[in-house]
Amino acid sequence: MRRMTTLGVNERIERVLTYSLFWVSGFVLLLVEKNQNVRWHAKQSLITFGTLSLLMFGVSMLNTTLSWIPFLGILTSFGLGLLLRILVWTWFILWIWLMVMAWLSPDYRLPFISKWVRAIL
């Protein structure tokens, strides 16, 4: 059975679209969509990729700031660079995983993140 949404798109496709542009598409679909499954995925996208965006921005800014300090910059650049790469790979793997799971399962919930979604939004 094909379930339609407020935008007139198949629910399955719209669930995947909530992750397509990371937190931006989640935010937009959260504003316009009334379907509860799509809204859940939009909230999950917003929390997951919004948090990762802020973490990546913070680590990048810290790395840039500390690089100006002669000895401290050398000591911290490897660790912060490694952390940034881990965050980027986490971002990419979660992006693919969440789109696949949104396609396959209308009620997929990420562990830990789902508690934040319930508590925050």
Side-chain angles (χ1 to χ4, degrees), residues 38-54:
V38 174
R39 287 182 60 82
W40 176 270
H41 284 279
K43 292 173 187 177
Q44 187 165 258
S45 174
L46 187 62
I47 297 292
T48 302
F49 294 113
T51 303
L52 280 171
S53 294
L54 291 174

Side-chain angles (χ1 to χ4, degrees), residues 15-17 19-20 34 37 43 46 48-49 51 53 57 62 68 74 77 84 90-91 114 117:
R15 286 192 317 255
V16 173
L17 287 175
Y19 301 107
S20 62
K34 292 183 175 113
N37 280 335
K43 292 173 187 177
L46 187 62
T48 302
F49 294 113
T51 303
S53 294
F57 178 74
L62 184 61
W68 287 90
I74 294 169
S77 67
L84 189 57
T90 302
W91 173 290
S114 62
V117 172

Side-chain angles (χ1 to χ4, degrees), residues 10 22 44 49 60 68 72 89 93 103:
N10 185 335
F22 311 107
Q44 187 165 258
F49 294 113
S60 178
W68 287 90
L72 191 58
W89 276 105
I93 291 167
W103 181 263

